[in-house]
Amino acid sequence: MYGGAVGEVIESADPSLQAGDIVLSGAAWQDKFVAKANTLSKLEPFDPDQLSLYLGTLGMPGLTAYVGLFKFGEPKPGETVFVSAASGAVGANVCQIAKLKGCRVIGSVGSDAKAKWLLDECGVDAVINYKTCGDLNQALADVAPDGVDVYFENVGGDHLQAALNVMNPYGRIAACGMIASYNNAEPAPGPNNLMLIVGKKIRINGFIVSDHGDMREQFLSEMIPWIQEGKIKSRETVFEGIDNAINAFLGLFSGENFGKMVVKLD
Ligand SMILES: NC(=O)c1ccc[n+]([C@@H]2O[C@H](COP(=O)([O-])OP(=O)(O)OC[C@H]3O[C@@H](n4cnc5c(N)ncnc54)[C@H](OP(=O)(O)O)[C@@H]3O)[C@@H](O)[C@H]2O)c1
């Protein structure tokens, strides 16, 4: 099973890597492996006690947030940004970066504890608990009286429908993922308001982060100082041991994770 992993080189026959080097790999779900040096990225961690940040806020999910928001959401100061799965590995970064760029930010999450963290710790302006809010369309309209200019889409289905209803003309949707439908045995019914895309002249961009490695340097140059200055907060849920990897993976679909889901190996 593919997955990002941070680990330590035990032994190396390649002069570009030494035993003890910390590397990022895409070969997770195994505790030891042999790899060609050019398939590993050597890290120069800014804090050796926070290596897992390179799987979350400083890694693929953080870059996904950065690329999706700036390249496809194109938020301007004062605009309203709506983020679904807002406390997750991607979403929490989108929320906080958008705040740093002067936007009003609305998140949606599946628990009151997640909502409280976003409001109290991350400075998000309004959060909807989609599991308890009743009609999501109405709940979003209530907290977005001036409409939504950018929707960062992580969930799909009812969230896309609600976002389209309140989006302003020339709104932008960064279509990052649609986790609500990943395990559907049957195709889910689509939003019934897609015609709004036409009248509101909404731009929807799907994207895959691996196409945008060219933004990594710029991303790190902004993100590391933000973390060091306490401007970007991160949460993690840590499962112990490779035997728990499958439980960690499945937990993503029931919201068991609070922030980045990490499996720690001995
Ligand atoms: N395009 C790309 O290159 C790219 C890269 C990375 C990730 N992604 C996508 O980005 C999205 C977020 O990924 P992530 O790594 O940040 O995951 P995550 O948000 O850390 O974890 C997934 C979260 O989704 C929420 N969720 C699960 N099922 C849901 C449902 N049926 N309705 C509403 N919310 C649901 C849960 O939070 P709640 O408790 O709040 O419900 C869960 O904690 C996913 O769709 C993922 O596939 C795309």
Side-chain angles (χ1 to χ4, degrees):
M1 185 80 170
Y2 171 84
V6 172
E8 184 177 334
V9 174
I10 301 170
E11 198 180 312
S12 174
D14 188 298
S16 67
L17 288 176
Q18 312 293 323
D21 283 349
I22 302 298
V23 291
L24 183 66
S25 83
W29 295 63
Q30 49 189 340
D31 47 13
K32 291 188 185 69
F33 57 91
V34 176
K36 288 202 160 77
N38 64 7
T39 65
L40 306 171
S41 306
K42 185 174 168 181
L43 296 176
E44 303 291 349
F46 81 97
D47 179 353
D49 292 330
Q50 298 191 76
L51 292 181
S52 56
L53 276 182
Y54 287 89
L55 300 174
T57 298
L58 287 177
M60 182 277 286
L63 181 61
T64 302
Y66 192 88
V67 166
L69 187 62
F70 290 128
K71 204 160 198 172
F72 302 113
E74 296 186 70
K76 298 170 193 63
E79 286 192 329
T80 299
V81 177
F82 173 47
V83 185
S84 51
S87 70
V90 175
N93 289 304
V94 178
C95 288
Q96 295 176 86
I97 297 170
K99 281 304 300 173
L100 286 168
K101 295 296 174 182
C103 297
R104 180 167 190 271
V105 177
I106 299 167
S108 105
V109 294
S111 83
D112 289 343
K114 293 177 179 180
K116 185 170 168 28
W117 180 70
L118 287 173
L119 289 167
D120 295 352
E121 304 285 327
C122 302
V124 170
D125 298 283
V127 184
I128 298 165
N129 180 340
Y130 69 89
K131 289 183 178 166
T132 58
C133 70
D135 179 7
L136 182 61
N137 297 285
Q138 188 58 51
L140 182 56
D142 288 345
V143 293
D146 298 325
V148 164
D149 302 291
V150 176
Y151 173 42
F152 197 103
E153 167 70 297
N154 286 318
V155 167
D158 58 349
H159 279 74
L160 178 56
Q161 171 129 358
L164 287 172
N165 282 338
V166 296
M167 285 196 77
N168 291 326
Y170 298 102
R172 287 83 64 198
I173 298 179
C176 176
M178 298 195 177
I179 196 168
S181 61
Y182 292 169
N183 293 324
N184 284 352
E186 300 288 332
N192 63 15
N193 58 352
L194 292 177
M195 183 59 194
L196 289 174
I197 296 167
V198 178
K200 294 186 181 189
K201 297 148 282 190
I202 290 168
R203 193 184 74 201
I204 305 182
N205 273 106
F207 70 98
I208 293 292
V209 65
S210 54
D211 290 349
H212 302 281
D214 58 312
M215 290 183 76
R216 185 178 305 277
E217 288 307 312
Q218 181 191 334
F219 155 69
L220 289 174
S221 73
E222 288 210 90
M223 199 57 136
I224 290 175
W226 283 336
I227 293 171
Q228 288 171 325
E229 292 160 18
K231 292 179 176 166
I232 295 272
K233 312 257 172 38
S234 299
R235 292 281 305 231
E236 284 178 354
T237 297
V238 181
F239 279 54
E240 299 276 346
I242 195 150
D243 291 344
N244 262 322
I246 191 74
N247 295 327
F249 177 66
L250 292 175
L252 292 172
F253 302 101
S254 54
E256 221 173 302
N257 61 310
F258 193 153
K260 175 67 185 173
M261 184 70 98
V262 175
V263 179
K264 189 173 176 198
L265 310 183
D266 291 328

